[in-house]
Amino acid sequence: FFGTVSMFLNTLTPKFYVALTGTSSLISGLILWWYFRKYGTSFIEQVSVSHLRPLLGGVDNSAPSAASAAGGDADSNRQSVSECKVWRNPLNLFRGAEYNRYTWVTGREPLTYYDMNLSAQDHQTFFTCDTDHLRPADAIMQKAWRERNPQARISAAHEALELNECATAYILLAEEEATTIVEAEKLFKQALKAGEGCYRRSQQLQHHGAQYEAQHRRDTNVLVYIKRRLAMCARKLGRTREAVKMMRDLMKEFPLLSMFNIHENLLEALLELQAYADVQAVLAKYDDISLPKSATICYTAALLKARAVSDKFSPEAASRRGLSTAEMNAVEAIHRAVEFNPHVPKYLLEMKSLILPPEHILKRGDSEAIAYAFFHLQHWKRVEGALNLLHCTWEGTFRMIPYPLEKGHLFYPYPICTETADRELLPSFHEVSVYPKKELPFFILFTAGLCSFTAMLALLTHQFPELMGVFAKAFLSTLFAPLNFVMEKVESILPSSLWHQLTRI
């Protein structure tokens, strides 16, 4: 056996070894590149940190105890789950009057199946209860909200209305069948009449048992939803002051229903009226450290501070004299907003094209940035110099955020799950904005270049051995030419006897 192996090895030519070297280098480079693309880190770095460092005793002195580490991991996991929670878009459009019109014109679907499925779950949560089977119209609507086919849902809503004045049936028709905002508003007004009657009846019976309480909670959700959508219809039809009044009344009547985020609708309407003092009053209430943040809150606060200085702001003058206190406050507000959602500036500065916003958004993600910029770009353009100030200062945010993103500056570290969730929420024809960009480390680039160069040399040597030999000799002679020159100079300067003794040593 050993004799056979020895004879096989002796018959191999140098060309075989050259080809083997080139092939192995190419395969190694492809494997390293694939590993980085799949896992986001280089294979050598992963092995060094995960396996070699513990063997060599490289333990972080500041590492917490096992118990605290486990608790920290649990907290970070809870934080990751909460930060990657998908929220209902407070300014979501109407399917029939807006989303479907876009589909008719472009032939593209602006909503993903995942997004519409989340909406179906929301409708079942807000518009149904356990006692619906006792009322025929509500029983039909309970099935309609679970129906995937839009035409089947619309037919079920009409069927429910034949039995009774059903508020949720009017809601479905206003959202999906109405082809204009005017038609949707008419249907919502009919829904309001039916919804108010159900709300008054259930309000009187809510303390008679758990079933009555659940029904009253459902009727409250229906009434709030109808009034909010009526306010949005008024805003879209140009009756902005009327919309503001409706939103304020709704927030006073139902102050605990913060899940609808009606204050974000109010902020947008007040900005349209250029009622900046009222906007500041709303921000003073909702831009609180104990309340969840949003792009609307952070960027509206930045817009108000930018408004105070943007009309006279000049980057050249600021570099000469420094920033004033008001300018510094505006820049800090912009940095705060950009840290919360780094995707927004490219849409506001029109460096990236907008699409219709989805029905659900991921806070700090690309979906939230689209939803904010879609409605608020006009307000930034209206403030003279605001976009110029944003353009000059927004990229400075990233110099203050620690890298890698283990820690944040003013907020929690940017969640790593946003890209995956945004790809589910946004249509396939949209290029999802990713932060932070995955950059190839120098080691990966160096290894890929070295492997490719080695493979190319091996291929050329295999095909043109004599020519490559000439090139190799010429390259080596050129490489060692400076050394030969130095040696000749040394020989000419030093005495021959001393040089002879040095060479002997």
Side-chain angles (χ1 to χ4, degrees):
F1 172 76
F2 290 106
T4 305
V5 172
S6 177
M7 182 178 67
F8 173 75
L9 294 176
N10 289 333
T11 57
L12 296 178
T13 62
K15 289 185 177 182
F16 171 79
Y17 291 106
V18 171
L20 180 64
T21 303
T23 306
S24 61
S25 299
L26 180 61
I27 293 174
S28 300
L30 290 174
I31 291 174
L32 290 173
W33 175 82
W34 168 83
Y35 188 90
F36 176 79
R37 293 284 295 179
K38 183 174 179 63
Y39 297 105
T41 183
S42 68
F43 176 75
I44 304 299
E45 179 186 359
Q46 185 70 19
V47 171
S48 301
V49 173
S50 303
H51 303 288
L52 297 182
R53 188 179 179 187
L55 292 176
L56 296 175
V59 181
D60 189 0
N61 294 330
S62 62
S65 63
S68 62
D73 290 343
D75 290 340
S76 64
N77 290 337
R78 283 195 297 270
Q79 173 195 330
S80 177
V81 170
S82 63
E83 289 202 347
C84 292
K85 174 185 176 183
V86 175
W87 299 73
R88 182 82 176 175
N89 182 5
L91 296 165
N92 66 305
L93 305 178
F94 293 84
R95 282 198 192 175
E98 292 173 305
Y99 287 121
N100 286 349
R101 291 170 71 89
Y102 176 85
T103 303
W104 298 336
V105 172
T106 64
R108 290 176 167 181
E109 289 290 343
L111 298 175
T112 64
Y113 174 76
Y114 176 69
D115 192 14
M116 292 189 288
N117 188 49
L118 289 175
S119 296
Q121 295 176 20
D122 291 341
H123 296 152
Q124 292 174 51
T125 302
F126 292 139
F127 303 150
T128 63
C129 65
D130 294 336
T131 60
D132 283 347
H133 65 279
L134 301 176
R135 297 174 297 279
D138 288 336
I140 292 174
M141 289 308 302
Q142 191 174 46
K143 295 179 181 178
W145 294 122
R146 297 172 183 168
E147 180 61 54
R148 293 185 179 181
N149 188 336
Q151 292 302 320
R153 287 197 297 270
I154 292 172
S155 299
H158 283 293
E159 183 182 348
L161 287 175
E162 291 175 0
L163 299 176
N164 192 10
E165 287 289 300
C166 181
T168 54
Y170 283 121
I171 289 176
L172 193 148
L173 295 178
E175 292 285 352
E176 301 193 21
E177 188 181 43
T179 56
T180 64
I181 300 299
V182 174
E183 292 178 21
E185 186 180 36
K186 290 179 181 178
L187 288 167
F188 273 120
K189 286 180 178 179
Q190 291 177 280
L192 178 62
K193 184 178 179 181
E196 284 179 334
C198 292
Y199 176 76
R200 285 193 294 269
R201 287 193 295 270
S202 63
Q203 189 177 30
Q204 297 173 355
L205 302 173
Q206 61 176 316
H207 302 297
H208 291 190
Q211 289 185 343
Y212 293 103
E213 185 178 353
Q215 185 175 342
H216 176 66
R217 186 163 52 249
R218 191 278 305 270
D219 292 339
T220 303
N221 291 335
V222 169
L223 185 61
V224 171
Y225 185 90
I226 293 170
K227 288 187 174 182
R228 173 173 162 269
R229 291 306 254 178
L230 278 172
M232 293 177 69
C233 288
R235 166 69 184 91
K236 291 175 185 290
L237 294 172
R239 305 196 308 271
T240 310
R241 294 189 182 280
E242 179 186 342
V244 168
K245 183 179 184 304
M246 294 171 69
M247 292 173 193
R248 289 189 186 279
D249 293 343
L250 186 57
M251 293 169 67
K252 289 179 182 178
E253 187 178 0
F254 302 98
L256 299 179
L257 290 181
S258 59
M259 60 185 143
F260 289 102
N261 290 325
I262 303 171
H263 61 276
E264 297 198 8
N265 299 82
L266 179 61
L267 283 173
E268 196 278 327
L270 290 172
L271 285 171
E272 177 64 22
L273 293 174
Q274 301 183 43
Y276 297 111
D278 293 335
V279 172
Q280 185 61 58
V282 176
L283 285 178
K285 181 177 180 180
Y286 289 97
D287 192 6
D288 186 83
I289 192 172
S290 62
L291 298 176
K293 297 292 180 290
S294 67
T296 301
I297 294 291
C298 295
Y299 277 90
T300 302
L303 176 61
L304 291 190
K305 292 189 177 180
R307 176 176 169 269
V309 298
S310 59
D311 56 337
K312 299 177 182 178
F313 178 78
S314 170
E316 295 80 10
S319 61
R320 288 196 306 269
R321 59 172 169 77
L323 294 174
S324 65
T325 303
E327 290 172 338
M328 185 65 71
N329 291 336
V331 171
E332 288 177 353
I334 290 175
H335 287 174
R336 171 179 179 260
V338 174
E339 181 182 352
F340 182 83
N341 193 316
H343 309 285
V344 172
K346 287 190 176 181
Y347 293 108
L348 292 180
L349 298 172
E350 298 181 85
M351 300 164 63
K352 207 168 185 291
S353 58
L354 276 171
I355 61 171
L356 293 185
E359 292 184 336
H360 289 80
I361 59 173
L362 183 68
K363 288 192 175 182
R364 308 186 74 177
D366 192 31
S367 52
E368 184 191 35
I370 292 171
Y372 172 79
F374 185 86
F375 293 99
H376 288 261
L377 175 58
Q378 57 180 330
H379 306 315
W380 279 81
K381 286 184 174 180
R382 190 177 292 123
V383 177
E384 182 183 356
L387 289 175
N388 177 49
L389 179 61
L390 178 68
H391 174 72
C392 295
T393 57
W394 74 277
E395 290 182 329
T397 308
F398 307 117
R399 292 193 291 269
M400 301 185 302
I401 302 175
Y403 187 84
L405 301 176
E406 292 94 356
K407 297 180 180 179
H409 179 60
L410 298 173
F411 298 98
Y412 286 114
Y414 190 80
I416 61 175
C417 58
T418 55
E419 179 183 358
T420 304
D422 278 333
R423 291 191 188 280
E424 295 286 338
L425 288 171
L426 298 172
S428 57
F429 58 81
H430 173 72
E431 182 182 353
V432 176
S433 177
V434 179
Y435 174 80
K437 287 282 187 182
K438 288 184 178 179
E439 297 180 356
L440 287 172
F442 171 76
F443 179 80
I444 290 289
L445 296 174
F446 175 77
T447 305
L450 183 62
C451 291
S452 302
F453 181 69
T454 306
M456 183 183 66
L457 284 181
L459 179 63
L460 291 174
T461 304
H462 182 268
Q463 293 293 330
F464 313 103
E466 295 180 0
L467 185 60
M468 289 302 294
V470 173
F471 278 123
K473 290 179 181 179
F475 175 74
L476 291 175
S477 62
T478 305
L479 183 65
F480 288 105
L483 181 60
N484 293 333
F485 177 77
V486 172
M487 294 295 292
E488 290 176 1
K489 289 295 183 181
V490 171
E491 287 181 4
S492 63
I493 294 173
L494 294 178
S496 58
S497 58
L498 178 60
W499 182 251
H500 180 68
Q501 293 296 327
L502 289 175
T503 55
R504 288 187 62 184
I505 293 175

